[in-house]
Amino acid sequence: MLAVRSRKPAGYDDVPTLPLYRSAPALDVRLEEFELFAIDRLRVLKGISDGLSRGKKHEEMEKLVTDLWKTNMRHPQASEDINKDIISHFVLRLVYCRTEELRKWFLSMETALFRHRFRNERPEAQRSLMAEFGLAYKKVDISELESVMDKLTQVARSTSQSLPTADAIFYKVPFAEVPELVGSRRVFISKGHAYIAMSQVVSLVATHFRSHLSKALMLTNRKWTSTIVEQEKNRLTPIVEALSTSYLGPDYSQPKEFAEISLREIDDIAKSSFPMCMRHLFEKLREEHHLKHGGRMQLGLFLKGVGLKLDDALAFWKAEFSRKVGAERFDKEYAYSIRHNYGREGKRTDYTPYSCQKIISSTPGVGDHHGCPYRHFSEENLTAALSRMGVNSRALGDVMSKVRNKHYQLACTLTFEAVHGTSCEAGINHPNQYFSDSQMIMKSKNHSTANDTQMQIESS
Amino acid sequence: MPGHEVAKDDMMIDEYEQKQVNAVPDGFNSQYLKIYYGKLFPYEEMFKWMSYANDGKHPACNQSYFGRREFSFTLDNDVYLRYKTFNSVSELENSIKEKCPVKIDIGPVYNVDPAKRHSYAQSGCYPEERELIFDIDMSDYDDVRYCCSGADVCLECWPLMTIAIKVIDTALRDDFGFNHILWVYSGRRGVHCWVCDGKARRLTNELRAAIADYFRVYKVGNENSHKKVSLMGPALHPFLVRSYTEVLKDFFERTLLSSQKIFSTAERYEKILDMIPDESVTSELRGKWQDNRRTSNAKEDINVARWEQLKHLLQSGKQKMQGLRRCVEEIVFSYTYPRLDMEVSKHMNHLLKAPFCVHPKTGRVCVPIDPNRCEDFDPTAVPTLSTLIEELNNEGLRAEADNDRDRTSLGKSIRFFQSSFLEPLVKSCKEEMISSYNAKLQQSKLQQSKNVLAAI
């Protein structure tokens, strides 16, 4: 982006490089760019989301977002940077307009990104962005500023901000424009007006950005369901649908070479290395000899990723299901979908195991056992399940507090750490990652104990 | 007056009540309530209020406005009727008289008639407007009052409510710029606040939450920490400074210290010492107080004396650390600052008991409180169902008043409601309505002339 600026003639510096995405671009976009740009932006948003859920501090977040943007959103041709920015944003609007949950996530992440980028604009550019939003507030004039100076100083001291100088720029806006500043008592308000410092303008603009985007997403959703889905069913629709569930790390559809499991060891492995969501499905299947569709998909694809071969998978499911529905009905009604999962039927797509994001956003109904226990279990059931996994009471409290704050993946990460007695820096993003990380730890433990024994033998 | 005769007959029926000598017995029963709803409840005024000038003849009036407001009734047998709506004052009046609810709650104004919400399943039925409301309940103060607890209130602890009214009312007017604010006694142990400006009624949930947070100084969900109040940062926000210097400090030092006997026993002063994070200070104070020597001023109140000692030690030269100086303020805030039920204020669809209901446990009427004279409000002296019935029965006053209401002590409350709240409210609603109507008219004219110009 700096490159773009340097090429512009002097005097153009006031022009912000931050678009407000007010209307869709009139650009021709190649289909592969459509998808690639979107994936790049998604990496940025996902990175922000991970950073926030990990409770990173303000400065850490600033650095993280700067890095994410640099790595993912630079176009080989610098002049195309802005187009990539706009195109990717609008593609993701399509992707994330479709459910309340997706909208909420997208809205938060885009707003966080916008704040970051706005703060890094120069004051002149910030002012021109304000004007673009129609926020034509006048600066508070000197005599009025003088009359409230002691209050403004008090507020600045109470929030540990730098004290305002006599020539400081303040804007006077209706308090309703800056809810977060009001709620945290970071502004002086009088007769319904908030006095905001130049450094707080970001809050005002972000509020507008957010509400504008929120409305736009609702409209896009309406357009999507009424026309686009049908019109684009052979072109954009499949791309868009795949994007919202696409997980950006490795997809775990191919088991790692060491991870090949046999039916004999599956019970032990389930106890030691399955994340709670899979352990629960596994136990329910052993108990009830049946799982509904959602559960079969979630567990079945996971097991495929873990390294259960198709033949073993068929044997595994058949052994359980036939006790309930009989072998014949299993062959007729259920075997197909297992082969389907392995890409041996129908479209012959090799299906990808579900990521945490997908599992968390699923909506299990009556009799379903799939979903994310941290999100879908009652507090009581979750506590019981955690103790069964051997999580001690201290760790249990930490896990539950993450759950209450809706950080389900962090809760799972803490569980992993408690069960394995090691830290898990990367965090848990995928059930199959939980499994392979767990196996790695188990193997190295076994390995070291084996070594120890050997050493003893040698020394004796 | 035939209604009056009915009332007398009702008295006759209840034989056990006859045994009470020459006065209507205390308490709350459906017979009394019927009379109350029959003769005293201010239907017209409630309708006028909830119409916000939409009941007029002006073309800008929205005739469906009142009819989209949710009311809900709690009946004698604990049956709870939600989503009741009324299209006119007589519908409201007839329904209340017929059902005789022990409690009436008021909800938001919906985008469509919420009673027919099932027919709008497609487009949705959602709250569109709602007064900004606050609910303050004395039982939330149980850790800082020693006179009574739970549902009881007395004149010793009621000043806590007076403080709440003063702090919140001033901030709503001076900081947020609201003008039409109604304070109501909840009938038992607390107060309700209704902010009725158009701006307030149209606030989003997000903004309601922001306002509620502006008022919050208490930490949440930390039962293990002794400090209830956390005043972070090197200075206080101007709103907190004003509340402290104008209200909290004086009430604490002049009223609550001695009325609640905050330092009178070891158990009580230990609670305060717990809030001071400095071992040397607390042990010095404890040492002084344990001796219990009442040397020089035997006349001086022990609570005041101990508070002065504490302040002196914390604010003296050697305790210059910011943290300790802040302690004095934190103690005062802990013992005085308003404790709001946040959830009530944060969401549009929260129901709140209507003014002029009668509390079923106390028989007291939920009368308005004048925020300018809230020090004078005495919860134990508000009209009760039985005193009102008695006043109605009092033949002597009958000739002097034009209507039933003015023969009773409720008349004064209703007149205050009208003159101090309702009239200015309706006046400004009308002005707002007319000016926005004219602005729209102006704009459409402008558009027309533009169109004409364009056509030429």
Side-chain angles (χ1 to χ4, degrees):
Chain A
M1 258 198 217
L2 286 171
V4 180
R5 244 184 218 164
S6 61
R7 271 198 229 145
K8 283 177 184 168
Y12 270 68
D13 273 13
D14 301 357
V15 179
T17 49
L18 173 53
L20 300 181
Y21 317 107
R22 307 274 272 187
S23 53
L27 294 165
D28 291 327
V29 183
R30 282 184 298 153
L31 212 52
E32 63 262 40
E33 280 189 339
F34 182 91
E35 191 171 3
L36 287 176
F37 287 3
I39 289 177
D40 282 343
R41 192 181 192 91
L42 205 46
R43 287 208 170 90
V44 176
L45 300 184
K46 188 83 173 57
I48 294 173
S49 164
D50 287 349
L52 288 173
S53 68
R54 236 153 263 213
K56 282 199 194 292
K57 292 196 199 79
H58 180 74
E59 299 79 47
E60 293 174 309
M61 278 310 288
E62 287 295 289
K63 189 182 173 307
L64 175 76
V65 182
T66 308
D67 291 347
L68 281 167
W69 189 263
K70 263 190 201 152
T71 352
N72 296 298
M73 292 305 287
R74 285 273 174 81
H75 193 274
Q77 252 177 301
S79 59
E80 288 292 310
D81 272 1
I82 190 108
N83 282 346
K84 178 171 178 180
D85 181 3
I86 293 173
I87 291 165
S88 62
H89 172 87
F90 277 95
V91 175
L92 289 188
R93 268 198 200 180
L94 271 184
V95 175
Y96 281 87
C97 73
R98 295 169 309 132
T99 69
E100 176 71 34
E101 191 124 7
L102 292 174
R103 284 194 294 270
K104 234 166 113 184
W105 185 84
F106 183 66
L107 202 53
S108 309
M109 296 316 138
E110 279 285 344
T111 309
L113 176 63
F114 179 83
R115 279 169 171 283
H116 166 85
R117 294 177 67 196
F118 185 86
R119 268 195 296 264
N120 288 306
E121 292 285 351
R122 302 154 54 88
E124 300 78 29
Q126 289 183 340
R127 242 166 292 173
S128 80
L129 280 166
M130 268 175 85
E132 226 181 299
F133 260 126
L135 301 170
Y137 294 112
K138 284 206 192 87
K139 294 178 205 169
V140 176
D141 67 45
I142 294 193
S143 64
E144 188 180 353
L145 194 64
E146 257 168 33
S147 71
V148 294
M149 201 42 142
D150 59 326
K151 306 283 188 207
L152 299 178
T153 309
Q154 253 174 36
V155 174
R157 283 180 57 213
S158 75
T159 52
S160 310
Q161 294 162 17
S162 53
L163 301 185
T165 52
D167 60 346
I169 295 175
F170 273 85
Y171 293 96
K172 194 173 164 184
V173 308
F175 78 86
E177 301 272 348
V178 284
E180 51 164 32
L181 296 180
V182 172
S184 52
R185 286 196 297 265
R186 277 182 288 149
V187 276
F188 170 59
I189 53 177
S190 174
K191 292 283 170 205
H193 289 280
Y195 290 76
I196 60 170
M198 198 59 212
S199 60
Q200 294 174 315
V201 163
V202 60
S203 208
L204 170 73
V205 182
T207 306
H208 277 262
F209 177 82
R210 194 190 163 93
S211 81
H212 174 256
L213 182 56
S214 172
K215 277 177 209 144
L217 283 172
M218 295 302 293
L219 286 177
T220 314
N221 180 40
R222 238 171 272 163
K223 244 192 250 169
W224 171 263
T225 42
S226 64
T227 52
I228 307 175
V229 172
E230 195 46 37
Q231 275 174 12
E232 294 284 343
K233 75 167 180 250
N234 297 319
R235 209 171 62 119
L236 295 187
T237 306
I239 299 178
V240 164
E241 277 172 355
L243 271 171
S244 66
T245 49
S246 81
Y247 163 77
L248 297 168
D251 70 2
Y252 295 100
S253 57
Q254 298 306 322
K256 298 225 174 96
E257 64 271 33
F258 70 84
E260 197 167 288
I261 60 165
S262 69
L263 281 180
R264 215 160 26 86
E265 51 187 5
I266 196 167
D267 282 274
D268 289 337
I269 284 180
K271 263 209 189 75
S272 66
S273 294
F274 280 16
M276 195 196 286
C277 52
M278 299 304 170
R279 223 174 115 123
H280 177 66
L281 284 168
F282 188 81
E283 284 166 3
K284 282 291 160 195
L285 175 65
R286 286 284 196 230
E287 205 176 295
E288 295 171 6
H289 316 297
H290 189 267
L291 281 179
K292 295 178 97 176
H293 177 74
R296 293 200 303 272
M297 292 296 285
Q298 186 173 314
L299 180 61
L301 289 169
F302 169 78
L303 290 174
K304 184 180 86 165
V306 156
L308 194 65
K309 292 249 165 52
L310 174 61
D311 289 343
D312 284 343
L314 282 167
F316 168 75
W317 290 100
K318 188 168 181 173
E320 291 301 331
F321 270 63
S322 55
R323 292 174 64 179
K324 177 106 180 219
V325 301
E328 199 183 327
R329 231 185 107 194
F330 175 82
D331 289 337
K332 259 183 20 209
E333 292 175 27
Y334 298 97
Y336 174 89
S337 78
I338 290 162
R339 282 196 299 275
H340 191 263
N341 280 350
Y342 279 77
R344 306 294 166 83
E345 299 278 2
K347 279 197 288 183
R348 309 226 160 220
T349 320
D350 203 357
Y351 286 91
T352 315
Y354 292 173
S355 67
C356 288
Q357 199 192 337
K358 179 160 178 143
I359 292 173
I360 290 171
S361 60
S362 67
T363 48
V366 183
D368 277 330
H369 292 291
H370 66 280
C372 171
Y374 301 97
R375 164 144 198 221
H376 298 112
F377 277 23
S378 72
E379 217 163 277
E380 274 167 26
N381 288 347
L382 183 57
T383 313
L386 284 165
S387 340
R388 275 202 302 280
M389 284 179 80
V391 176
N392 68 33
S393 61
R394 226 186 67 225
L396 202 138
D398 295 343
V399 172
M400 294 313 286
S401 97
K402 293 288 177 215
V403 168
R404 281 182 208 114
N405 291 315
K406 303 191 174 166
H407 298 317
Y408 309 114
Q409 284 171 244
L410 281 189
C412 189
T413 308
L414 288 181
T415 308
F416 182 95
E417 291 178 348
V419 169
H420 295 87
T422 53
S423 75
C424 173
E425 280 301 317
I428 299 298
N429 294 309
H430 199 295
N432 290 82
Q433 175 217 346
Y434 185 108
F435 175 78
S436 60
D437 287 2
S438 166
Q439 284 286 294
M440 213 115 78
I441 290 165
M442 309 296 265
K443 291 244 158 79
S444 74
K445 271 185 191 160
N446 288 340
H447 193 62
S448 61
T449 43
N451 275 352
D452 287 349
T453 350
Q454 207 170 9
M455 298 249 292
Q456 274 172 3
I457 295 165
E458 276 169 10
S459 63
S460 61
Chain B
M1 203 171 282
H4 187 62
E5 295 304 316
V6 173
K8 260 173 119 185
D9 286 349
D10 289 339
M11 300 296 114
M12 304 291 273
I13 296 163
D14 294 324
E15 262 185 59
Y16 72 98
E17 284 169 354
Q18 285 269 302
K19 289 171 193 158
Q20 302 249 342
V21 203
N22 74 30
V24 173
D26 277 351
F28 179 91
N29 65 50
S30 53
Q31 293 302 332
Y32 291 0
L33 198 56
K34 260 210 174 82
I35 304 167
Y36 177 76
Y37 285 137
K39 288 167 171 287
L40 298 172
F41 190 81
Y43 301 99
E44 281 288 347
E45 289 81 358
M46 292 293 281
F47 178 79
K48 257 227 131 32
W49 169 23
M50 293 280 147
S51 294
Y52 293 103
N54 282 294
D55 54 339
K57 297 240 165 16
H58 194 274
C61 289
N62 184 337
Q63 300 297 341
S64 78
Y65 186 86
F66 185 84
R68 288 181 280 123
R69 167 80 70 169
E70 174 184 358
F71 289 83
S72 71
F73 292 172
T74 310
L75 305 186
D76 208 8
N77 47 7
D78 266 347
V79 169
Y80 192 48
L81 308 173
R82 277 203 68 180
Y83 301 112
K84 294 191 71 65
T85 54
F86 309 101
N87 287 310
S88 64
V89 63
S90 56
E91 275 185 28
L92 174 74
E93 181 169 352
N94 293 338
S95 180
I96 291 178
K97 281 179 177 167
E98 183 212 332
K99 302 273 190 219
C100 201
V102 292
K103 184 167 156 235
I104 302 168
D105 283 300
I106 299 176
V109 178
Y110 287 82
N111 59 328
V112 293
D113 179 354
K116 301 188 188 120
R117 65 200 177 283
H118 299 301
S119 357
Y120 296 102
Q122 278 292 309
S123 49
C125 171
Y126 48 85
E128 206 172 58
E129 276 191 23
R130 206 273 183 279
E131 294 77 9
L132 172 64
I133 51 177
F134 296 94
D135 181 4
I136 306 161
D137 193 314
M138 189 68 94
S139 56
D140 290 331
Y141 290 80
D142 278 357
D143 62 317
V144 294
R145 60 183 185 139
Y146 301 113
C147 48
C148 24
S149 68
D152 298 324
V153 292
C154 68
L155 291 178
E156 304 285 308
C157 53
W158 189 256
L160 288 165
M161 289 295 134
T162 310
I163 294 169
I165 296 174
K166 281 176 174 287
V167 168
I168 306 290
D169 192 73
T170 309
L172 288 172
R173 291 175 204 272
D174 294 356
D175 301 357
F176 291 100
F178 296 127
N179 295 310
H180 303 286
I181 301 169
L182 177 70
W183 287 93
V184 184
Y185 174 50
S186 74
R188 194 182 201 181
R189 58 184 174 194
V191 292
H192 295 160
C193 173
W194 300 76
V195 188
C196 302
D197 299 56
K199 265 194 315 189
R201 281 179 277 134
R202 291 185 288 270
L203 287 169
T204 60
N205 283 342
E206 189 195 12
L207 277 161
R208 285 165 206 263
I211 295 172
D213 283 338
Y214 182 80
F215 288 122
R216 182 172 68 193
V217 302
Y218 293 89
K219 276 199 229 165
V220 278
N222 198 350
E223 297 110 11
N224 297 328
S225 109
H226 292 300
K227 266 194 194 175
K228 284 261 165 55
V229 170
S230 176
L231 304 171
M232 304 296 280
L236 293 184
H237 186 276
F239 155 64
L240 296 178
V241 173
R242 184 189 61 213
S243 304
Y244 182 76
T245 54
E246 289 179 9
V247 185
L248 306 182
K249 187 166 175 286
D250 277 3
F251 264 92
F252 182 77
E253 296 190 335
R254 294 194 192 151
T255 309
L256 294 167
L257 258 186
S258 12
S259 74
Q260 293 298 328
K261 304 184 178 64
I262 286 168
F263 285 88
S264 60
T265 66
E267 193 193 342
R268 291 184 186 182
Y269 68 63
E270 282 301 333
K271 265 168 67 178
I272 290 169
L273 293 180
D274 274 347
M275 292 157 73
I276 303 170
D278 185 308
E279 203 67 42
S280 69
V281 174
T282 52
S283 57
E284 187 177 341
L285 287 171
R286 194 176 289 120
K288 279 186 188 167
W289 299 344
Q290 270 168 348
D291 290 354
N292 211 17
R293 280 172 299 148
R294 299 231 187 152
T295 46
S296 53
N297 285 328
K299 274 184 197 165
E300 199 185 20
D301 185 301
I302 189 170
N303 300 288
V304 176
R306 287 177 171 175
W307 173 243
E308 289 305 324
Q309 286 171 339
L310 181 149
K311 271 207 304 195
H312 179 75
L313 202 56
L314 282 177
Q315 291 171 340
S316 68
K318 37 174 198 179
Q319 310 293 345
K320 279 226 172 84
M321 283 155 59
Q322 258 323 324
L324 285 188
R325 297 185 72 105
R326 185 58 28 86
C327 253
V328 171
E329 288 156 13
E330 279 182 347
I331 293 166
V332 174
F333 270 89
S334 298
Y335 279 80
T336 57
Y337 188 82
R339 302 179 177 192
L340 302 177
D341 183 340
M342 290 287 173
E343 292 310 309
V344 174
S345 306
K346 282 182 177 177
H347 303 287
M348 269 186 150
N349 49 8
H350 231 286
L351 295 156
L352 192 66
K353 182 159 58 168
F356 299 107
C357 276
V358 181
H359 195 288
K361 291 277 165 25
T362 60
R364 292 178 192 158
V365 181
C366 305
V367 291
I369 301 173
D370 183 351
N372 297 319
R373 299 178 50 208
C374 55
E375 296 94 332
D376 303 337
F377 182 81
D378 177 356
T380 62
V382 305
T384 66
L385 202 48
S386 48
T387 54
L388 290 173
I389 305 291
E390 201 178 322
E391 286 162 359
L392 274 179
N393 290 344
N394 193 333
E395 301 279 337
L397 289 169
R398 196 170 168 183
E400 290 160 32
D402 298 343
N403 57 38
D404 285 331
R405 196 191 272 178
D406 289 341
R407 278 195 288 141
T408 70
S409 44
L410 192 64
K412 208 176 77 187
S413 291
I414 296 176
R415 280 194 302 276
F416 167 78
F417 177 81
Q418 260 179 325
S419 62
S420 300
F421 169 70
L422 193 55
E423 281 162 17
L425 172 71
V426 171
K427 184 166 174 273
S428 91
C429 284
K430 274 186 186 155
E431 285 165 4
E432 198 181 306
M433 188 181 268
I434 289 168
S435 79
S436 87
Y437 178 79
N438 289 344
K440 260 187 219 155
L441 217 61
Q442 201 75 36
Q443 205 163 22
S444 71
K445 269 185 194 157
L446 210 68
Q447 192 58 46
Q448 270 177 6
S449 55
K450 265 188 195 161
N451 291 346
V452 172
L453 281 175
I456 295 165

